[in-house]
């Protein structure tokens, strides 16, 4: 998924539109997300490939934070880093409560949870179609 941004170009009497595309490499975006989550000490990071399973994204990343404060901080830093590195703006859902924050970055969707909320919803099992190991505390 690519986002287009237009800016006017000053190349002569007729004003043309230059279209600048946000980076569209899903693997590079995934690497950035995983590195940022590692830097922010996210726990139990799981990456689920969605290619061929769903058209919503190429990858889903699920991770936990130790508290609502850490979940909110990780979500905000990740959103800023994605935009800063040229992948475009992201959509954030659930930030005020920060029990479960969804970060939609287009080709990569990230779910950040508090551990109790994560074990309740158990998204790994649903999206991996039973292929994923159980979440800590669920076995």
């Amino acid at each position: 998924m690519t986002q287009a941004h237009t800016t006017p170009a000053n190349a002569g009497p007729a004003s043309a539109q230059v279209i600048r595309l946000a980076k569209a490499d899903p693997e590079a975006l995934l690497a950035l997300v995983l590195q940022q989550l590692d830097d922010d000490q996210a726990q139990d990071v799981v990456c689920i490939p969605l290619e061929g399973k769903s058209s919503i994204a190429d990858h889903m990343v699920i991770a936990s934070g130790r508290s609502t404060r850490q979940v909110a901080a990780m979500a905000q830093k990740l959103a800023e880093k994605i935009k800063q590195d040229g992948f475009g703006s992201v959509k954030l859902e659930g930030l005020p409560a920060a029990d479960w924050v969804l970060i939609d970055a287009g080709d990569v969707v990230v779910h950040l949870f508090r551990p109790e909320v994560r074990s309740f919803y158990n998204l790994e099992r649903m999206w991996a179609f039973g292929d994923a190991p159980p979440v800590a505390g669920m076995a």
Side-chain angles (χ1 to χ4, degrees), residues 23-30 87 107:
K23 290 183 185 177
D25 182 7
E27 299 305 318
L29 177 57
L30 177 63
F87 288 99
D107 291 324

Side-chain angles (χ1 to χ4, degrees), residues 96-113:
D99 285 330
W100 175 1
V101 178
L102 170 73
I103 303 161
D104 183 353
D107 291 324
V108 178
V109 175
V110 182
H111 296 272
L112 300 176
F113 289 99

Side-chain angles (χ1 to χ4, degrees), residues 34 43-48 60-64 118 124 128 132-133 135:
L34 294 175
Q43 298 176 330
D44 302 320
V45 178
V46 174
C47 181
I48 301 171
M60 178 180 294
V61 177
I62 303 171
S64 297
R118 181 177 179 174
E124 290 93 332
V135 177

